[in-house]
Amino acid sequence: TMKTSLRMASRDEYEALMGMRASDPAKSSPFRDHVGMRQLIVVLTSAGKVFGLHSGDGRELWSVYLGTGASGSAALRTVLVWREQVGEADDTELLALGSSGDSTRALWIRASDGEVIAEATLPLAASRALPLEGAAFEGAGGERPVLLASPSGELHLLAVAGGATKDAAAHAEAKEVLAARASKVFFYEADAKAGTVRGFGLVPHADAPAGVRRAQVWQLSLPESEALEAVVERVLDPVHTQVRVLGDRSALYKYLGANTAAVFATATEPERASEGAPPSAVVAGLVVYILDTATGRVLYRTVHMGSAGPVQATFRENWVVYHYWSNEAMRNEMSVLELFDDTRDRPSHVQEGLMQLLGAEVTAPEQSSHSLPPLRVLGQSYYMPMSAKAMGATSTAKGVTARQVLLGTGTDQVLALDRRLLDPRRPLKATPASKEERLPPYAEMLPVDPRRMITHRHTVANLRFIESAPTHLESTCLVLAVGLDRYLTRLAPSRSYDTISESFNYLLLSATVVGMVVATLVAARMSARAELKRKWR
């Protein structure tokens, strides 16, 4: 270790040290480390089996058989966090759900060892699971209730591990809480065949099994010429600040509506009935709707003429990035839309800072789907020389670190794109303000740097999706690419600014500090002698 720190080790000695570090028993421990790099990966396969995998080497820690797998296009298959670990004596608990036929099976699993705590078979074929977030819904032990919805409109509340019969009093209390806060819960259902997106709310109903029933609030019906491609919800990641300070010291305020989604549809021009028939008013292309899922209000709509799906997209903070095919240019393209709150009568960020310094309480304006502010939407498109199979984005604990967009390419690799390259405010020519913001000038083509391939020389066969998870270090997150293979890596978009690498030269640092102390003492002694001689003259 000493020779490696001093850069004096040979290649064989360096490889031997790396082998010793890799075989460290602490790294293969199934428990989380203090910086959150060692985590449990939980996957649910199409065959209905739940696996707990070690993030260090990918080995199987435990497995549980949920069922034969969800059957049908509307069937539900998911794993949710039922209870999070709070103290050392507690343990994280998971809820695995799988619907098949006319029933849904639920398993409550202890995350540390895979032990099934409870199980239940529910009398409905659920198509959607709605975790009821917030302290008001949580049970006495930190349980997070889940509301199950079926295509026919049936609702079932899971508030007690094992079902309502295990603790009737706790289940009844959860029903009362849900009925009291029914107006705060919204969800939607998308039907690609019918070309509709329907939004629902909850209404208290004493005779309903869940204490509430669903009521349709709105419906978005696409024209016959448009085929629904995808609906992408905004991921509720931590956001460090709502304000973006620009290079000219002005500010833009991000629109962070929680009930926001992007709807993508491909519009095709219908064939003419005859040669002399007038041309259709339909513009062929990719249509993008930014939708508020609580009220059904279309916040923004745009059309990329001559383009079509398939679409890969991710929606984070106030921006959505999507990849599609341009029939007109015969190439892959990527576009970005960024939403800002354009409210005029609000104090500037400088005034807010001065008010905070003077001790005044400054609260961010509340954002409600029923009183939406005026929006300012910025957009830009780029040529992307690679096809896409999946898309994601990095996520950190506090949202301070700069983000990267993760693109699963057609070659089954993962490319990390700097978010600044996809900023719609990139100027045509560099200005002092853009240089201060470190915004690169606009270029039609997004650069593909091989060094940004986080899978390096590896490929993930049949890549399907990309997930990211924060660690306890703000600079670092974990990225998991899943297909027939699984690939996990660490990623530090802004470099590891809050940690010291294992190869850091501590000896040199110590020698430097000691040398500085000795030099300071010697210089002080020499200065004192010189001052004494000067006074005796």
Side-chain angles (χ1 to χ4, degrees):
T1 303
M2 183 71 69
K3 293 177 69 176
T4 304
S5 299
L6 295 174
R7 307 293 194 272
M8 297 172 60
S10 65
R11 183 173 183 83
D12 293 338
E13 290 172 332
Y14 178 78
E15 291 179 353
L17 178 61
M18 292 299 103
M20 291 172 60
R21 287 177 175 172
S23 60
D24 185 359
K27 292 192 175 182
S28 60
S29 171
F31 303 104
R32 178 176 291 195
D33 58 346
H34 67 285
V35 294
M37 296 293 182
R38 191 168 57 243
Q39 299 187 20
L40 177 70
I41 302 172
V42 180
V43 295
L44 174 58
T45 68
S46 58
K49 199 166 187 180
V50 186
F51 288 93
L53 307 177
H54 193 282
S55 63
D57 52 14
R59 72 179 186 277
E60 177 186 330
L61 298 176
W62 51 262
S63 63
V64 176
Y65 187 59
L66 175 62
T68 56
S71 59
S73 58
L76 173 69
R77 186 171 65 247
T78 186
V79 178
L80 304 170
V81 176
W82 176 254
R83 190 206 315 262
E84 279 194 355
Q85 180 178 359
V86 178
E88 293 184 359
D90 300 326
D91 203 345
T92 300
E93 295 177 7
L94 308 172
L95 172 61
L97 299 165
S99 63
S100 181
D102 56 355
S103 64
T104 299
R105 189 165 185 236
L107 292 181
W108 285 263
I109 305 169
R110 185 183 294 123
S112 60
D113 56 8
E115 180 183 350
V116 177
I117 303 170
E119 58 181 297
T121 301
L122 311 175
L124 84 163
S127 60
R128 181 150 189 173
L130 305 171
L132 301 176
E133 304 286 351
F137 290 107
E138 287 187 3
E143 301 88 351
R144 298 179 179 179
V146 176
L147 185 66
L148 301 180
S150 70
S152 61
E154 296 178 81
L155 298 177
H156 190 94
L157 178 62
L158 282 177
V160 180
T165 57
K166 299 295 182 180
D167 192 338
H171 183 77
E173 183 180 353
K175 285 176 59 177
E176 292 178 4
V177 171
L178 178 59
R181 300 183 62 83
S183 60
K184 306 293 183 181
V185 181
F186 303 94
F187 65 99
Y188 69 90
E189 292 180 356
D191 189 340
K193 291 184 178 180
T196 59
V197 183
R198 296 184 299 163
F200 300 93
L202 299 183
V203 178
H205 194 281
D207 297 332
V212 293
R213 62 176 179 84
R214 77 172 189 180
Q216 183 169 329
V217 179
W218 56 268
Q219 176 170 317
L220 174 66
S221 298
L222 301 179
E224 293 183 0
S225 59
E226 295 182 10
L228 184 63
E229 292 283 348
V231 180
V232 180
E233 295 182 17
R234 175 179 169 244
V235 179
L236 300 180
D237 283 343
V239 179
H240 175 58
T241 177
Q242 187 185 359
V243 181
R244 173 177 288 184
V245 181
L246 309 184
D248 59 0
R249 298 298 183 269
S250 62
L252 292 175
Y253 293 82
K254 303 174 185 177
Y255 175 71
L256 301 174
N259 304 308
T260 314
V263 180
F264 300 92
T266 298
T268 55
E269 187 176 349
E271 296 181 0
R272 295 187 185 185
S274 61
E275 292 185 2
S280 172
V282 176
V283 178
L286 180 68
V287 186
V288 184
Y289 301 86
I290 303 297
L291 187 69
D292 187 287
T293 58
T295 62
R297 178 179 173 183
V298 176
L299 306 179
Y300 183 75
R301 180 183 182 273
T302 187
V303 181
H304 298 277
M305 293 186 293
S307 301
V311 175
Q312 299 295 337
T314 184
F315 200 157
R316 306 295 175 110
E317 294 190 16
N318 66 320
W319 49 269
V320 55
V321 173
Y322 47 99
H323 180 287
Y324 55 93
W325 173 258
S326 173
N327 291 317
E328 190 173 279
M330 295 302 291
R331 66 186 188 184
N332 295 294
E333 293 186 354
M334 287 183 71
S335 295
V336 56
L337 296 175
E338 195 160 1
L339 286 69
F340 294 98
D341 184 341
D342 206 27
T343 303
R344 298 297 183 184
D345 53 344
R346 67 190 308 166
S348 69
H349 64 287
V350 177
Q351 292 173 329
E352 290 181 352
L354 291 174
M355 292 169 64
Q356 289 178 340
L357 287 175
L358 294 174
E361 184 178 354
V362 179
T363 57
E366 294 185 0
Q367 292 184 342
S368 170
S369 296
H370 300 285
S371 57
L372 293 171
L375 295 183
R376 178 184 177 187
V377 182
L378 304 178
Q380 189 59 269
S381 297
Y382 305 91
Y383 161 50
M384 181 63 191
M386 306 187 79
S387 60
K389 288 186 173 182
M391 188 179 291
T394 56
S395 175
T396 55
K398 302 297 182 182
V400 177
T401 303
R403 288 185 181 269
Q404 289 183 335
V405 176
L406 305 173
L407 185 70
T409 68
T411 57
D412 290 330
Q413 293 179 295
V414 180
L415 174 67
L417 286 171
D418 194 328
R419 167 73 178 91
R420 286 173 298 183
L421 296 174
L422 291 161
D423 194 311
R425 296 176 48 255
R426 287 175 61 181
L428 293 177
K429 292 184 178 180
T431 63
S434 66
K435 289 179 180 178
E436 187 165 343
E437 292 184 62
R438 298 180 64 189
L439 277 179
Y442 176 77
E444 182 184 12
M445 186 177 74
L446 290 172
V448 178
D449 188 349
R451 294 172 297 179
R452 295 296 182 183
M453 290 288 184
I454 64 174
T455 48
H456 305 293
R457 59 183 177 83
H458 303 285
T459 58
V460 183
N462 194 21
L463 178 62
R464 292 197 298 272
F465 64 88
I466 303 169
E467 291 288 340
S468 64
T471 65
H472 296 167
L473 298 176
E474 173 58 30
S475 66
T476 309
C477 66
L478 299 178
V479 176
L480 176 67
V482 178
L484 292 178
D485 304 318
R486 301 181 303 274
Y487 185 88
L488 179 75
T489 187
R490 300 178 188 178
L491 201 58
S494 300
R495 299 187 179 181
S496 302
Y497 56 82
D498 54 358
T499 185
I500 298 177
S501 66
E502 294 179 351
S503 60
F504 183 77
N505 198 333
Y506 292 96
L507 181 61
L508 181 59
L509 176 63
S510 302
T512 303
V513 172
V514 172
M516 292 292 291
V517 171
V518 172
T520 302
L521 294 175
V522 171
R525 180 73 173 175
M526 293 175 64
S527 177
R529 283 187 175 184
E531 181 68 17
L532 184 60
K533 287 182 180 180
R534 186 185 65 80
K535 289 181 178 180
W536 276 102
R537 289 177 183 175

